[in-house]
């Protein structure tokens, strides 16, 4: 599919996500079926599962030969990033979805031979869909093109975090928070990535799976924001990573804290 | 002023806060003057100061004999809660105001002989003004009356926190987070209280000054949510408190953790 028209494909994915949002809003009016995955803090609902099936079905029609990796397991068993790979999170921030009925996202990232091409993060309740990547030459929030966020030093901005990392002080998280202007916890990787894109935070650190970071990596890199492991290495697209999202300056500041082995 | 018409007064405060919001939105288009108060994480801007002066001037016209306590010191030197007392926070969540230009609030609480009468929390950027109290017989978000949030147990909901309390594990905060469904940090007492009112979180714990909790205490109590010190005692309206906001069930769960002296 070397003749792929990425502009058209982007418009088709936008349409698919808009349909998916309508389905989810309808399903939210009924009682949810909630199951625990690895623990009582790791939930999945009937809506996550149904929405992944809906999205993957749509993706198969758009791009029949691609591999699809989905959080809830309805895609392929993916062992290589060769070719085109779609990575799907049908409901990111399921705990927020269940407890808040707000502050959750749908995410799709499209990679070609391991290189990000198009990313989509949909803030469902605010109805703002972020789309972009190298194939579009920028990032848009609905119809508004985003400008790159300011390249702030760690001390000059707020940083998004995940709660267990801070409480257990994994990889000097508390020293990083201390050096920043403050910590925020929003409970959804997608919402955290949006906050970095629009400059409300300068970064985000969390243990993430591919479906949590695939879309955000494409969008953020397009805006000049760095995404790496906490040690500054490239992410493994097929496994769990301790992910560091940060402006260039803040990434340097944080990697220095890691290198100096600073504790609070 | 025993002939005070609280309905009229509420409408006048709403009008004052709407004017104040327009002023702040205008001022946000110009560069801010930012000063540090006690530390580099405790900021005040020209907008906080100017808005407190504007609000207090309006309050003096509405209620000339009342005492006014304001965060930035433009009110009275208040040493007693006798009579009518207005407590004002012109910009709550100043760090969010400075770094995010979002997620901050204006707050006013009106007390009579130490008893809450009317409370107002204004989410400025979302343009949603929460008002209510015993004198109105309920709480409204703009024109929509709120129903009381569900009386959730601690394990069944998310809890708002302040970053230093969690990092330093003050008063068993980490055990409380562990027992909850998860922690969120939004960086503004006003926004946190709104989240509890609308049921997005079941509680909030933070070191707070009177202007941080005066309005929220009135609104939340009207909705059946408890506000006390972390030990379950009434708040001192004229000083700093470690404040526990929680549903009835979650308050019992948290007080039990305090009593049992549980560590994570």
């Amino acid at each position: 599919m070397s003749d792929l028209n990425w502009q058209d494909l982007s418009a088709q994915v936008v349409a698919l996500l808009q349909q998916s949002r309508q389905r989810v809003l309808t399903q939210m009016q009924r009682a949810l079926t909630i199951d625990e995955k690895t623990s009582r803090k790791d939930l999945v609902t009937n809506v996550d599962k149904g929405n992944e099936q809906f999205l993957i079905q749509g993706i198969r029609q758009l791009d029949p030969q691609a591999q699809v990796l989905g959080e809830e397991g309805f895609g392929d068993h993916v062992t290589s990033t060769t070719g085109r790979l779609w990575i799907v999170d049908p409901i990111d921030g399921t705990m927020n979805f269940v407890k808040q009925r707000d502050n959750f996202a749908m995410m799709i990232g499209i990679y070609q031979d391991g290189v990000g091409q198009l990313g989509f993060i949909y803030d469902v309740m605010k109805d703002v869909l972020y789309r972009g990547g190298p194939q579009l030459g920028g990032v848009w929030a609905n119809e508004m093109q985003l400008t790159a966020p300011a390249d702030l030093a760690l001390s000059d901005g707020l940083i998004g975090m995940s709660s267990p990392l801070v409480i257990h002080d994994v990889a000097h998280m508390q020293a990083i928070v201390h050096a920043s202007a403050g910590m925020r916890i929003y409970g959804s990787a997608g919402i955290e990535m949006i906050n970095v894109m629009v400059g409300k935070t300068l970064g985000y650190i969390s243990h993430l799976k591919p479906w949590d970071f695939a879309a955000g990596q494409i969008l953020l890199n397009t805006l000049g924001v760095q995404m790496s492991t906490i040690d500054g290495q490239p992410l493994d697209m097929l496994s769990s990573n301790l992910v560091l999202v940060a402006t260039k300056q803040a990434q340097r500041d944080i990697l220095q804290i890691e290198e100096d082995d600073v504790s609070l």
Side-chain angles (χ1 to χ4, degrees), chain A residues 28 94-104 125 186-187:
Chain A
M28 284 171 71
T94 299
M95 186 62 84
N96 283 352
F97 175 70
V98 170
K99 300 297 182 187
Q100 304 196 320
R101 307 295 168 111
D102 198 1
N103 303 314
F104 59 94
M125 299 313 290
Y186 297 108

PDB file of all heavy atoms in Angstrom, chain A residues 28 94-104 125 186-187:
ATOM      1  N   MET A  28     -22.968   4.720  27.993  1.00  0.00           N
ATOM      2  CA  MET A  28     -22.777   5.288  29.339  1.00  0.00           C
ATOM      3  C   MET A  28     -24.109   5.565  30.025  1.00  0.00           C
ATOM      4  O   MET A  28     -24.148   5.802  31.232  1.00  0.00           O
ATOM      5  CB  MET A  28     -21.962   6.583  29.245  1.00  0.00           C
ATOM      6  CG  MET A  28     -20.483   6.340  29.005  1.00  0.00           C
ATOM      7  SD  MET A  28     -19.592   7.878  28.638  1.00  0.00           S
ATOM      8  CE  MET A  28     -19.602   8.671  30.254  1.00  0.00           C
ATOM      9  N   THR A  94      -9.630   4.048  32.391  1.00  0.00           N
ATOM     10  CA  THR A  94     -10.893   3.337  32.691  1.00  0.00           C
ATOM     11  C   THR A  94     -11.387   3.667  34.098  1.00  0.00           C
ATOM     12  O   THR A  94     -12.598   3.768  34.317  1.00  0.00           O
ATOM     13  CB  THR A  94     -10.704   1.816  32.511  1.00  0.00           C
ATOM     14  OG1 THR A  94     -10.336   1.573  31.143  1.00  0.00           O
ATOM     15  CG2 THR A  94     -11.987   1.049  32.803  1.00  0.00           C
ATOM     16  N   MET A  95     -10.468   3.862  35.058  1.00  0.00           N
ATOM     17  CA  MET A  95     -10.922   4.222  36.407  1.00  0.00           C
ATOM     18  C   MET A  95     -11.663   5.565  36.378  1.00  0.00           C
ATOM     19  O   MET A  95     -12.723   5.706  37.008  1.00  0.00           O
ATOM     20  CB  MET A  95      -9.736   4.271  37.375  1.00  0.00           C
ATOM     21  CG  MET A  95     -10.114   4.503  38.825  1.00  0.00           C
ATOM     22  SD  MET A  95     -11.151   3.185  39.538  1.00  0.00           S
ATOM     23  CE  MET A  95      -9.879   1.995  40.028  1.00  0.00           C
ATOM     24  N   ASN A  96     -11.140   6.542  35.658  1.00  0.00           N
ATOM     25  CA  ASN A  96     -11.867   7.815  35.507  1.00  0.00           C
ATOM     26  C   ASN A  96     -13.212   7.587  34.812  1.00  0.00           C
ATOM     27  O   ASN A  96     -14.224   8.187  35.189  1.00  0.00           O
ATOM     28  CB  ASN A  96     -11.047   8.815  34.685  1.00  0.00           C
ATOM     29  CG  ASN A  96      -9.926   9.467  35.473  1.00  0.00           C
ATOM     30  OD1 ASN A  96      -9.817   9.295  36.686  1.00  0.00           O
ATOM     31  ND2 ASN A  96      -9.091  10.224  34.783  1.00  0.00           N
ATOM     32  N   PHE A  97     -13.197   6.772  33.768  1.00  0.00           N
ATOM     33  CA  PHE A  97     -14.435   6.464  33.042  1.00  0.00           C
ATOM     34  C   PHE A  97     -15.488   5.914  34.008  1.00  0.00           C
ATOM     35  O   PHE A  97     -16.638   6.356  34.011  1.00  0.00           O
ATOM     36  CB  PHE A  97     -14.130   5.445  31.935  1.00  0.00           C
ATOM     37  CG  PHE A  97     -15.329   4.945  31.190  1.00  0.00           C
ATOM     38  CD1 PHE A  97     -16.040   5.773  30.330  1.00  0.00           C
ATOM     39  CD2 PHE A  97     -15.753   3.631  31.339  1.00  0.00           C
ATOM     40  CE1 PHE A  97     -17.158   5.307  29.641  1.00  0.00           C
ATOM     41  CE2 PHE A  97     -16.861   3.150  30.648  1.00  0.00           C
ATOM     42  CZ  PHE A  97     -17.568   3.995  29.809  1.00  0.00           C
ATOM     43  N   VAL A  98     -15.076   4.982  34.868  1.00  0.00           N
ATOM     44  CA  VAL A  98     -16.017   4.334  35.791  1.00  0.00           C
ATOM     45  C   VAL A  98     -16.433   5.284  36.911  1.00  0.00           C
ATOM     46  O   VAL A  98     -17.624   5.381  37.233  1.00  0.00           O
ATOM     47  CB  VAL A  98     -15.376   3.058  36.385  1.00  0.00           C
ATOM     48  CG1 VAL A  98     -16.217   2.502  37.532  1.00  0.00           C
ATOM     49  CG2 VAL A  98     -15.185   2.004  35.299  1.00  0.00           C
ATOM     50  N   LYS A  99     -15.480   5.991  37.510  1.00  0.00           N
ATOM     51  CA  LYS A  99     -15.769   6.765  38.725  1.00  0.00           C
ATOM     52  C   LYS A  99     -16.177   8.200  38.428  1.00  0.00           C
ATOM     53  O   LYS A  99     -16.825   8.846  39.249  1.00  0.00           O
ATOM     54  CB  LYS A  99     -14.544   6.786  39.640  1.00  0.00           C
ATOM     55  CG  LYS A  99     -14.057   5.414  40.111  1.00  0.00           C
ATOM     56  CD  LYS A  99     -15.091   4.692  40.956  1.00  0.00           C
ATOM     57  CE  LYS A  99     -14.552   3.357  41.454  1.00  0.00           C
ATOM     58  NZ  LYS A  99     -15.615   2.564  42.136  1.00  0.00           N
ATOM     59  N   GLN A 100     -15.708   8.747  37.291  1.00  0.00           N
ATOM     60  CA  GLN A 100     -15.972  10.168  37.012  1.00  0.00           C
ATOM     61  C   GLN A 100     -16.877  10.376  35.816  1.00  0.00           C
ATOM     62  O   GLN A 100     -17.400  11.473  35.636  1.00  0.00           O
ATOM     63  CB  GLN A 100     -14.651  10.919  36.763  1.00  0.00           C
ATOM     64  CG  GLN A 100     -13.643  10.800  37.897  1.00  0.00           C
ATOM     65  CD  GLN A 100     -12.538  11.827  37.811  1.00  0.00           C
ATOM     66  OE1 GLN A 100     -12.033  12.133  36.732  1.00  0.00           O
ATOM     67  NE2 GLN A 100     -12.145  12.373  38.955  1.00  0.00           N
ATOM     68  N   ARG A 101     -16.977   9.377  34.970  1.00  0.00           N
ATOM     69  CA  ARG A 101     -17.664   9.537  33.684  1.00  0.00           C
ATOM     70  C   ARG A 101     -17.098  10.740  32.933  1.00  0.00           C
ATOM     71  O   ARG A 101     -17.816  11.482  32.264  1.00  0.00           O
ATOM     72  CB  ARG A 101     -19.195   9.686  33.897  1.00  0.00           C
ATOM     73  CG  ARG A 101     -19.806   8.566  34.741  1.00  0.00           C
ATOM     74  CD  ARG A 101     -19.682   7.219  34.015  1.00  0.00           C
ATOM     75  NE  ARG A 101     -20.003   6.087  34.897  1.00  0.00           N
ATOM     76  CZ  ARG A 101     -21.087   5.324  34.773  1.00  0.00           C
ATOM     77  NH1 ARG A 101     -21.937   5.560  33.810  1.00  0.00           N
ATOM     78  NH2 ARG A 101     -21.286   4.326  35.599  1.00  0.00           N
ATOM     79  N   ASP A 102     -15.822  10.941  33.082  1.00  0.00           N
ATOM     80  CA  ASP A 102     -15.142  12.092  32.481  1.00  0.00           C
ATOM     81  C   ASP A 102     -13.640  11.797  32.511  1.00  0.00           C
ATOM     82  O   ASP A 102     -13.195  10.866  33.177  1.00  0.00           O
ATOM     83  CB  ASP A 102     -15.460  13.346  33.311  1.00  0.00           C
ATOM     84  CG  ASP A 102     -15.176  14.650  32.564  1.00  0.00           C
ATOM     85  OD1 ASP A 102     -14.751  14.602  31.394  1.00  0.00           O
ATOM     86  OD2 ASP A 102     -15.390  15.714  33.166  1.00  0.00           O
ATOM     87  N   ASN A 103     -12.891  12.606  31.768  1.00  0.00           N
ATOM     88  CA  ASN A 103     -11.428  12.549  31.840  1.00  0.00           C
ATOM     89  C   ASN A 103     -10.851  11.214  31.374  1.00  0.00           C
ATOM     90  O   ASN A 103      -9.947  10.667  31.998  1.00  0.00           O
ATOM     91  CB  ASN A 103     -10.945  12.886  33.256  1.00  0.00           C
ATOM     92  CG  ASN A 103     -11.427  14.244  33.709  1.00  0.00           C
ATOM     93  OD1 ASN A 103     -11.341  15.209  32.962  1.00  0.00           O
ATOM     94  ND2 ASN A 103     -11.959  14.324  34.916  1.00  0.00           N
ATOM     95  N   PHE A 104     -11.411  10.689  30.279  1.00  0.00           N
ATOM     96  CA  PHE A 104     -10.863   9.490  29.647  1.00  0.00           C
ATOM     97  C   PHE A 104     -10.734   9.775  28.145  1.00  0.00           C
ATOM     98  O   PHE A 104     -11.273  10.773  27.649  1.00  0.00           O
ATOM     99  CB  PHE A 104     -11.755   8.267  29.912  1.00  0.00           C
ATOM    100  CG  PHE A 104     -13.159   8.414  29.410  1.00  0.00           C
ATOM    101  CD1 PHE A 104     -13.517   7.939  28.148  1.00  0.00           C
ATOM    102  CD2 PHE A 104     -14.139   9.027  30.189  1.00  0.00           C
ATOM    103  CE1 PHE A 104     -14.815   8.083  27.684  1.00  0.00           C
ATOM    104  CE2 PHE A 104     -15.447   9.175  29.718  1.00  0.00           C
ATOM    105  CZ  PHE A 104     -15.783   8.701  28.459  1.00  0.00           C
ATOM    106  N   MET A 125     -15.373  13.364  26.552  1.00  0.00           N
ATOM    107  CA  MET A 125     -16.410  14.190  27.160  1.00  0.00           C
ATOM    108  C   MET A 125     -16.304  15.655  26.734  1.00  0.00           C
ATOM    109  O   MET A 125     -17.294  16.357  26.648  1.00  0.00           O
ATOM    110  CB  MET A 125     -16.401  14.055  28.692  1.00  0.00           C
ATOM    111  CG  MET A 125     -16.676  12.633  29.174  1.00  0.00           C
ATOM    112  SD  MET A 125     -18.090  11.812  28.377  1.00  0.00           S
ATOM    113  CE  MET A 125     -19.445  12.752  29.077  1.00  0.00           C
ATOM    114  N   TYR A 186      -3.854  13.220  36.899  1.00  0.00           N
ATOM    115  CA  TYR A 186      -5.160  13.270  36.243  1.00  0.00           C
ATOM    116  C   TYR A 186      -5.744  11.891  35.959  1.00  0.00           C
ATOM    117  O   TYR A 186      -6.926  11.785  35.631  1.00  0.00           O
ATOM    118  CB  TYR A 186      -5.064  14.084  34.952  1.00  0.00           C
ATOM    119  CG  TYR A 186      -4.685  15.536  35.191  1.00  0.00           C
ATOM    120  CD1 TYR A 186      -3.428  16.018  34.860  1.00  0.00           C
ATOM    121  CD2 TYR A 186      -5.588  16.425  35.775  1.00  0.00           C
ATOM    122  CE1 TYR A 186      -3.070  17.357  35.087  1.00  0.00           C
ATOM    123  CE2 TYR A 186      -5.237  17.753  36.009  1.00  0.00           C
ATOM    124  CZ  TYR A 186      -3.985  18.213  35.662  1.00  0.00           C
ATOM    125  OH  TYR A 186      -3.637  19.527  35.893  1.00  0.00           O
ATOM    126  N   GLY A 187      -4.916  10.844  36.046  1.00  0.00           N
ATOM    127  CA  GLY A 187      -5.471   9.492  35.989  1.00  0.00           C
ATOM    128  C   GLY A 187      -5.735   8.927  34.607  1.00  0.00           C
ATOM    129  O   GLY A 187      -6.407   7.902  34.504  1.00  0.00           O
TER     130      GLY A 187
END
